[in-house]
Amino acid sequence: MAGNYRVSADIGGTFTDIVFQDSATGACGATKVLSTPENPALAVLEGINTAIPADAEIDFFVHGTTVGLNALLTRRGAKVALLTTRNFRDIYTIQGNDRGEIFSIRWNKPEPLATLEHTYVATGRLAADGSEVDALSTDDLDAFVEAAKAEAYEAVAVCFLFSYVNPAHELAAKAYLEERLPGMAIALSHQVSPEWREFDRTSTTVMDSYLAPVVRKYLATLVGDLKTRLPDGHGLHVMESNGGVMSATTASNNALQTLLSGPVGGAIGGKALAQVTGRQNLICVDMGGTSFDASLIIDGLPSTSNETMLEGLPVQMSVVDIHVIGAGGGSLAWEEAGAVRVGPQSAGSTPGPVCYGRGGTQPTVSDANLVLGRLDSANFGGGDMVLDRDAATAALAKMGAKFDMSAEAMAQGIVDIVNAKMADAIRTITIQRGIDPRDFTLVAFGGAGPAQAAAMAEELQIREVIIPVHPGAFSAWGMLQTDMRHDFKETMYGFWDLIDQSNLESAFENLAAKGKDYMLGENVAAANISFERGVDFRYHGQEYVLTIPIPDGPIDMAAVRNSFDAAYERQYGHCSPEGRVEMANIRLAAVGHIPRPENAPPLPMAAKPERTRDVYFSGTAQPTRIVDRNALADGQAVSGPAIIEEGTTTTLLPPGWQAVVIQGGHMALSKSDTGKGAVA
C-alpha cells in the first residue's frame, strides 16, 4: 500500500515547491521543480508525480496562487462594469481626498479598474437606516443590460448606497440581471464587503469582479489538469489572504480572498514555529527566486490587518501583513548611471540565472553565490540540477570589467546590495512602526533565504536566526499547518457606553450562525468549528480604528474598554481613559479545524559525507566545511565557517557563527562572543 498523503504547493515565479506529509505518521518531505508560468498546474503535477507514488491517495491538497495578484498588477483582469446608485456615479472615479505621496508633485490617483465610461447608475435609494426612499427602477436595469451586451462586459460589480444595512436592492438587481445576462459574474458589495466607507466598499467590490473570471478559469484548469491525482477536484483547497484555507469551489466564488494567498503560507508556518520553539516574536523572511516577503509574528500570532492597499486602491478584507519587494535568487544585476543595481527584475524560471544553462545571459544573485562558492554546482536542489559555474563566472567577469572588478569582487558586491535591500524591507515593517528588530528572532526560509540570513541578522543586530525544517519549501509546509477560516463583519456604529449589550451579543450570534453555515458547507464537522470575535474601536473624533479581540462568553463591556485603552497605548505611546470611545464594526472569524498529524518530523534521508571547499567571506576564500543537514542530530552543533546543505536550500554559516539543531528538527544560528568581523 502506497498510503495516503497531505500535499501543499507554493507556486513561485521561479520554482514550485511541493511538501508532502504521510497522513498516518506525519512525516514530511519536500521537493522543488521549475515553475511553468504558461500553465502553473503542469509544475504542480510534475512535483506531485515526483514526490508521491502513483498509487497513493491524496487526502488533502492546498496551494497558494498569485494568479489574481498578477492579473491585478499587470492589469489583465476582466472587463468590468460598475452599477451604482443614481447621482453617485463619480464616487469610484473621484476616490478619496488623500494623496498617496503627499510631497510628490508627480503623484496621480491610481487608474480605476472600471473607468467612468464603464460606470452605470440605477434609480433606487435607501436611507442610512436601510429604509427605502425610492424603489429600484427596472427601466434603468434594462438599459444596463443592453449596454452590458453591447460592451461585452465579462463581470459586473453592483454597489448601491447603504446596501450593507439593507441588501434588498442589490439582491433584486442581481436576480433581474442573471435572468437577462446568463453566465455573467456578478458581485454584490454587501456580500463582498458589508462595511461602511463608500469608496472603499466600491473599490473592493470592483476588484472582486475584476478578478473573478480570471481566478475561476485558473481553478477550473487546475482541477482539470490534476484530475489524474485529484478526481473531480476532491480535496483541492486554496490559501486565503487571511491565512486560512477554503475549498476550490468556494474560492471560485470568492476570488478576492485569493489575492494574497501566494506568500501567506510562510507567516502561518511562522505561527506554528512559534508554538514549537517557544519563541513568540519572529521576523519571517522568505527569499525565493523572484521576491522577498517579510512578515511578523507578535506574541505567537501573525500580524494582520482588516484592510490593505493594492495598486493604490483600497481593499476591505482581512489580510496577513506581508511586505514584498523584488529581491530573490533570480534577481538580475544591471547597470544604471555608472552604478550596479539588483532587481526588482528577475530571470524567473525561463531563462533563469546564467548558471541554469537555459539561455540566461545576465548575472543574478544565484550566479553570484555560485561564484563565491556558496552553492554547489553538482548538488543544487539535492543533485537534481547541475549548475554551470564557468558560465556564471564569465557573466560576472564581463560586468565586473566595466568597474575594474574581478568576477568574485562583482559577485560580492551583488550579494551586498541585495542584502542591504532586504534589510531595508525588514526595517519597513519594524523600525518604521516603532518595533525594535533586536527583540525578535529572524526566521529565514525560501530557496535563497538561508544563504543570506546571517548577513541580514548582523545588519539589523538580531541575535538569533532560525532555519526551519524544509526551509526551501517552508511556505508550502506552513500551508499544511493551517485551518479553514472565513471572516464575517457588520458595521455597527455607536458610542461604546451607549451600546446595548444584548443587541451586541445578538449581532455576534447572527454572524456566528452565518459562520457555522459556511463551515458546514465546507464539510467541517460541527465539533471542529470555533469562532474569534472582535470590535473596531476609536476615540471620539478620530478616523481610524483598532480591532480589539472579544473573549468567548458574555461580553464584559468595561474590560473590553480597558483592553482598547491598553492596545492604543501600546500602538501610539499614550491613551485617553477618560475619553469617549466609538465602535464602528464587529468582526467574527469562523475557524474550521482540519485534522492533521500532531507532529511533522522530516522524512529520514541518507546523509552525504562531509567534505571541504573554498568559499569567499569578506573577499577572501577560506576552506569551509560542507555538512549535510540530514547528518545532524538533535542538539548537535556546527561552527562556522561552514555550509549546511539539504535538498531545498543551502545555509551559510560564516566565521564566528554557530548552528544547533533544536526541537522539531529546526536549526538555531547565533554568533559566538568570539566571532569577529562583519558577515558579507
Side-chain angles (χ1 to χ4, degrees):
M1 277 293 288
N4 292 25
Y5 288 87
R6 305 173 73 244
V7 182
S8 59
D10 179 21
I11 304 170
T14 305
F15 286 99
T16 292
D17 304 331
I18 303 291
V19 171
F20 51 98
Q21 181 180 37
D22 188 303
S23 298
T25 66
C28 284
T31 189
K32 299 173 82 75
V33 296
L34 288 171
S35 293
T36 49
E38 69 283 357
N39 183 358
L42 297 179
V44 174
L45 188 59
E46 179 188 351
I48 291 175
N49 290 336
T50 299
I52 300 173
D55 58 343
E57 292 188 12
I58 298 176
D59 297 330
F60 175 83
F61 176 83
V62 59
H63 80 296
T65 175
T66 58
V67 168
L69 182 60
N70 290 341
L72 175 65
L73 297 178
T74 59
R75 293 296 175 114
R76 294 178 180 174
K79 185 177 181 180
V80 178
L82 169 60
L83 180 63
T84 190
T85 304
R86 183 172 296 280
N87 298 325
F88 291 88
R89 183 182 180 214
D90 295 313
I91 283 179
Y92 185 52
T93 304
I94 293 175
Q95 303 181 16
N97 60 3
D98 59 322
R99 292 178 56 83
E101 299 177 24
I102 193 169
F103 296 114
S104 173
I105 62 173
R106 294 183 175 88
W107 181 84
N108 291 304
K109 288 185 176 182
E111 182 73 15
L113 301 178
T115 53
L116 192 60
E117 60 267 30
H118 300 303
T119 302
Y120 302 83
V121 296
T123 299
R125 179 70 183 271
L126 299 175
D129 62 359
S131 61
E132 186 176 78
V133 177
D134 296 310
L136 183 64
S137 168
T138 56
D139 291 340
D140 289 340
L141 295 181
D142 287 334
F144 174 73
V145 168
E146 294 305 314
K149 292 177 179 178
E151 292 286 343
Y153 291 116
E154 300 171 275
V156 174
V158 181
C159 189
F160 292 150
L161 206 64
F162 300 119
S163 60
Y164 61 89
V165 181
N166 180 0
H169 282 188
E170 286 193 351
L171 291 170
K174 181 177 182 180
Y176 195 87
L177 296 176
E178 282 181 331
E179 290 182 4
R180 293 156 179 80
L181 298 171
M184 179 71 74
I186 301 175
L188 305 182
S189 71
H190 80 273
Q191 294 175 345
V192 175
S193 181
E195 186 177 344
W196 67 358
R197 300 185 187 278
E198 211 59 32
F199 165 56
D200 300 60
R201 181 163 56 92
T202 304
S203 173
T204 305
T205 308
V206 172
M207 193 172 295
D208 183 79
S209 294
Y210 186 76
L211 301 175
V214 176
V215 172
R216 288 175 186 173
K217 181 180 178 181
Y218 161 73
L219 290 174
T221 301
L222 184 68
V223 169
D225 289 343
L226 295 180
K227 62 184 178 182
T228 57
R229 301 308 300 264
L230 293 165
D232 301 321
H234 171 71
L236 178 59
H237 296 79
V238 182
M239 287 293 297
E240 289 194 55
S241 302
N242 61 14
V245 299
M246 56 185 165
S247 66
T249 301
T250 300
S252 294
N253 298 319
N254 293 270
L256 189 70
Q257 300 300 325
T258 71
L259 203 54
L260 301 175
S261 81
V264 77
I268 303 306
K271 175 184 174 182
L273 191 68
Q275 294 172 348
V276 171
T277 65
R279 293 156 173 85
Q280 297 298 296
N281 296 318
L282 307 174
I283 300 172
C284 299
V285 295
D286 180 359
M287 183 183 183
T290 303
S291 65
F292 176 82
D293 309 332
S295 60
L296 296 178
I297 305 295
I298 300 176
D299 295 332
L301 297 173
S303 175
T304 59
S305 174
N306 293 320
E307 58 185 359
T308 188
M309 298 286 289
L310 290 169
E311 290 294 278
L313 297 169
V315 186
Q316 292 178 321
M317 69 173 179
S318 297
V319 297
V320 175
D321 283 331
I322 299 176
H323 183 60
V324 183
I325 63 169
S331 292
L332 295 168
W334 50 288
E335 179 188 356
E336 180 184 54
V340 176
R341 312 287 186 189
V342 180
Q345 306 93 330
S346 173
S349 59
T350 304
V354 176
C355 60
Y356 283 14
R358 296 165 62 91
T361 59
Q362 198 169 344
T364 67
V365 173
S366 290
D367 293 311
N369 276 319
L370 179 63
V371 169
L372 293 174
R374 299 174 180 184
L375 300 180
D376 187 341
S377 58
N379 193 41
F380 187 73
D384 293 332
M385 289 183 66
V386 176
L387 304 181
D388 189 341
R389 182 170 183 173
D390 291 340
T393 302
L396 285 161
K398 181 179 179 180
M399 174 173 274
K402 300 178 182 179
F403 300 91
D404 195 24
M405 298 171 67
S406 66
E408 291 77 14
M410 177 55 65
Q412 186 66 65
I414 290 171
V415 169
D416 290 344
I417 291 170
V418 79
N419 286 342
K421 288 184 66 174
M422 293 186 295
D424 280 343
I426 295 173
R427 292 187 184 99
T428 298
I429 64 170
T430 54
I431 294 172
Q432 290 187 17
R433 299 181 185 179
I435 296 172
D436 191 340
R438 294 174 297 183
D439 296 333
F440 286 67
T441 294
L442 181 68
V443 180
F445 49 95
Q452 319 297 142
M456 283 187 282
E458 287 220 346
E459 176 76 15
L460 297 164
Q461 300 180 38
I462 295 174
R463 292 181 291 274
E464 183 184 52
V465 177
I466 298 291
I467 309 297
V469 295
H470 307 303
F474 187 68
S475 286
W477 183 87
M479 294 177 191
L480 291 180
Q481 316 307 314
T482 191
D483 291 310
M484 291 276 191
R485 180 188 173 106
H486 197 73
D487 295 294
F488 298 84
K489 58 188 175 181
E490 177 183 331
T491 292
M492 191 173 178
Y493 173 77
F495 286 108
W496 184 244
D497 57 307
L498 300 180
I499 292 294
D500 185 285
Q501 181 176 343
S502 61
N503 289 341
L504 179 59
E505 292 181 342
S506 178
F508 273 122
E509 288 171 3
N510 290 336
L511 293 185
K514 293 179 181 179
K516 183 177 181 180
D517 288 343
Y518 175 93
M519 286 299 164
L520 293 175
E522 290 279 53
N523 297 316
V524 177
N528 290 332
I529 300 174
S530 60
F531 304 103
E532 299 171 2
R533 304 184 297 180
V535 175
D536 291 350
F537 285 108
R538 66 188 185 187
Y539 288 118
H540 177 53
Q542 294 186 332
E543 174 72 5
Y544 298 102
V545 300
L546 289 178
T547 301
I548 304 302
I550 306 295
D552 293 337
I555 299 174
D556 186 332
M557 306 292 279
V560 172
R561 163 60 201 261
N562 292 337
S563 295
F564 168 68
D565 289 331
Y568 195 95
E569 185 167 23
R570 284 196 303 271
Q571 183 77 18
Y572 301 109
H574 64 94
C575 66
S576 179
E578 69 285 351
R580 295 193 77 182
V581 170
E582 299 171 340
M583 64 175 290
N585 305 291
I586 63 171
R587 301 181 184 276
L588 181 137
V591 179
H593 175 66
I594 298 174
R596 66 177 68 89
E598 290 187 9
N599 299 307
L603 281 172
M605 299 181 68
K608 296 179 180 179
E610 185 175 320
R611 57 200 188 281
T612 302
R613 70 167 179 263
D614 284 346
V615 177
Y616 281 83
F617 295 96
S618 302
T620 303
Q622 299 186 36
T624 301
R625 297 171 60 195
I626 311 300
V627 180
D628 191 323
R629 184 167 179 174
N630 294 302
L632 301 179
D634 288 352
Q636 186 173 349
V638 177
S639 297
I643 285 177
I644 301 172
E645 294 185 339
E646 54 189 300
T648 61
T649 194
T650 296
T651 299
L652 181 68
L653 201 61
W657 280 74
Q658 179 176 272
V660 179
V661 179
I662 60 174
Q663 59 268 46
H666 308 291
M667 198 160 54
L669 278 58
S670 59
K671 191 173 183 182
S672 64
D673 294 335
T674 57
K676 298 180 180 179
V679 179

